[in-house]
Amino acid sequence: MSLDLESLRVLDTVVREGGFAKAAERLHKAQSAISYHVRKLEQSLGLTLLTRDGYRAKLTPAGEAVLTEGRRLLIQASQVEALAREFGQGWEPKLTVIIDGILALAPILAALKQLADEHIPTRIQVKVEYLYGVQYRFDKENADIMLVKDYQSQPNLQAVELPEVECVLCAAASHPLIAMPSVTLNDLQQEIELSVQDSSERGDDRHMFGGERVFFLAGFTTKKQALLMGLGFGWMPRYLIEDELANGSLKEVPYVGGARYRFTPALVHRRDQPLGRAGQRLSGLLLAQ
């Protein structure tokens, strides 16, 4: 047995319009065609769906049950057809974005909310990674976009610069490094350094200091908590610790080699896999901020 959606649609119209003649007028079909579709559906199901005596066509109990479920199918079919039309207009079915967790999420989330408000049909997956894990995940999952601090340039990758980010080498006000008038590399290497862990096999950062005691944490929120507890020292993006620097709970380490650095992140996608409408729209929103 196979259901004919057109016959279900005809049955629904007959019931809504109250008869075969009005359904034929609504659907711009001959009345004989309307009758044919209803008979075809009844034969397919082996059920009587309509009573044909009287002025108005009425559903039998079986017809009521069938039409209730049939209307759900018609709604789903309509949604599938709408998606097909939208994808045919350049909307990709899926968009995967890998984000470096050192970047501010607020503008990224604002862009995603804008896409949600526009009801775009594309299913968007966003994953947060760190350090070399961003490009590792981008390559492994054949993702569409990565928002990244550092990456290895390749001929098939195209990058656009994002707003600059400043990082500060900091520790809790009570940490021994803060009490020192100046801090050398050897001083740093005697203390616990706090870093974030990525999913690549490299697991290090060119801004690390080479000490033997390093705690790798799950992300910058956890790292900030560890810093405030006085567990160690480490680099933090300035936007995440503005309040703590202002109230003195975190302080800049007086490192002789410099306690600040800036980097320019990038929005990267593949030249050989052009972005669809959703990817282009997301990129445009992020670059406009």
Side-chain angles (χ1 to χ4, degrees), residues 99-100 103-113 126 147 282 286 289:
I99 299 172
D100 194 316
L103 303 181
L105 288 178
I108 299 169
L109 294 175
L112 292 172
K113 183 179 184 304
V126 177
L147 308 177
L282 177 60
L286 292 172
Q289 295 176 355

Side-chain angles (χ1 to χ4, degrees), residues 32-49:
S32 59
I34 299 297
S35 299
Y36 166 77
H37 276 292
V38 174
R39 286 197 306 272
K40 178 183 176 183
L41 185 59
E42 289 178 323
Q43 291 169 0
S44 173
L45 297 174
L47 298 170
T48 300
L49 304 176

Side-chain angles (χ1 to χ4, degrees), residues 265-277:
L267 184 155
V268 182
H269 63 89
R270 305 175 196 277
R271 298 178 189 273
D272 54 347
Q273 297 178 21
L275 294 175
R277 289 182 66 181

Side-chain angles (χ1 to χ4, degrees), residues 4 7 33 35 60 65 70 81 119 129 139 156 206 222 231 242 260 268 273:
D4 181 356
S7 294
S35 299
T60 64
E81 291 169 355
H119 302 289
E129 267 290 352
D139 291 335
N156 70 321
R206 62 188 175 90
T222 305
L231 181 59
E242 289 282 5
R260 299 198 178 200
V268 182
Q273 297 178 21

